Amino acid sequence: MKRSILTGWLCSMLALVGACDMIAQRELRPGQSTVEDVRKLMGKPGMIWEESDGSQVFEYARGPEGFETWMVQIGPDGIYRGMKNALVPENLARVQPGMTRDDLRRLLGKPGSEESFPAKGEIVWTWRVKGDVAATEMFHAHLGADGRVLRTSRSPDPNLLKGG
């Protein structure tokens, strides 16, 4: 009991820097931990995705400053199955022209920012992602007026350009 209280307190204090996610990865046990354990360690999810088999995926986006979006799998029995970072190169490569806004959100999670370009008829969703080596960069999905992906692009992380 004391350990879970201490862990919960520690996570709340470290949540701003993402340390809670590391604690959750160590503390949560697939097949043993419960949905309540997940909520205690990680907080309220930004989105809960309902699956056809009754399972759920809890989305924990760590943007705009973080470069991870955790997708936490919960079985239909309320038992934790595991967690994966959605902002990995394999998922970024899956973003293709024609993909819907909903499919994009389901794949990568909530973007760190959204910007409208009315003259171009575009909305750009942006995520901070891990780049080559240890640096971060910005991944952009350009959406048309119909809410479908037109293209993707990348740019340097403005925090790194400012020396942050």
Side-chain angles (χ1 to χ4, degrees):
M1 177 75 160
K2 272 187 174 180
R3 183 177 181 181
S4 65
I5 291 170
L6 178 61
T7 302
W9 176 82
L10 185 58
C11 278
S12 65
M13 299 309 291
L14 298 174
L16 292 176
V17 294
C20 188
D21 299 333
M22 292 186 310
I23 292 170
Q25 287 177 324
R26 278 198 322 261
E27 295 287 325
L28 295 173
R29 303 279 182 246
Q32 296 175 10
S33 299
T34 66
V35 66
E36 291 82 18
D37 297 329
V38 171
R39 288 180 186 268
K40 276 185 211 168
L41 288 170
M42 298 191 72
K44 180 181 176 185
M47 176 72 82
I48 299 176
W49 302 95
E50 303 287 340
E51 304 292 357
S52 60
D53 66 355
S55 63
Q56 298 176 317
V57 177
F58 287 12
E59 176 189 310
Y60 292 94
R62 299 307 190 207
E65 296 304 317
F67 54 87
E68 297 168 326
T69 294
W70 294 104
M71 298 296 191
V72 178
Q73 290 85 26
I74 306 294
D77 55 359
I79 301 298
Y80 168 77
R81 291 184 175 172
M83 63 191 284
K84 296 178 183 172
N85 179 15
L87 299 179
V88 295
E90 298 80 27
N91 279 355
L92 300 177
R94 290 175 56 198
V95 178
Q96 298 295 317
M99 180 180 275
T100 68
R101 173 188 306 253
D102 291 340
D103 290 339
L104 180 60
R105 172 70 193 267
R106 180 71 170 92
L107 178 65
L108 300 181
K110 181 181 178 182
S113 68
E114 179 178 319
E115 195 168 356
S116 181
F117 296 91
K120 285 183 139 186
E122 288 184 4
I123 293 175
V124 179
W125 284 7
T126 301
W127 294 261
R128 179 170 276 108
V129 299
K130 192 98 163 163
D132 295 336
V133 191
T136 54
E137 62 185 18
M138 309 311 284
F139 178 84
H140 312 281
H142 302 255
L143 302 159
D146 62 356
R148 293 188 176 272
V149 174
L150 299 170
R151 68 185 178 287
T152 64
S153 63
R154 292 177 185 252
S155 64
D157 184 338
N159 288 347
L160 297 176
L161 295 175
K162 292 184 247 176

